[in-house]
């Protein structure tokens, strides 16, 4: 799976978890498990975005020299 596809799937899962958490908040139910998974996915997404940004920077710098 490419990084772009992985990032898309993670974003989709984060949106699903957000709606699930919102529903649990309205009902007054604990959402600890979903919040933990949400944090892990956001961390993974930020790491992938950082790696992609770093790769673009290095490829551009390589182009200049």
């Amino acid at each position: 799976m490419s990084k772009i596809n992985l990032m898309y799937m993670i974003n989709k899962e984060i949106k699903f978890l957000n709606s699930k958490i919102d529903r649990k908040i309205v009902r007054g139910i604990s959402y600890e498990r979903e919040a933990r998974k949400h944090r892990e996915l956001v961390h993974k997404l930020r790491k992938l975005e950082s790696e992609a940004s770093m790769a673009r920077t290095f490829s551009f710098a390589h182009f200049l020299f």
Side-chain angles (χ1 to χ4, degrees), residues 37-49:
K37 182 159 179 145
H38 182 275
R39 274 191 302 268
E40 291 170 1
L41 289 173
V42 168
H43 177 72
K44 186 180 285 190
L45 183 62
R46 286 187 180 155
K47 186 176 177 183
L48 286 170
E49 288 173 343

Side-chain angles (χ1 to χ4, degrees), residues 18-31:
N18 281 336
S19 65
K20 192 172 184 179
I21 289 170
D22 289 344
R23 286 190 307 261
K24 284 192 169 193
I25 288 172
V26 169
R27 292 181 181 172
I29 301 172
S30 175
Y31 56 93

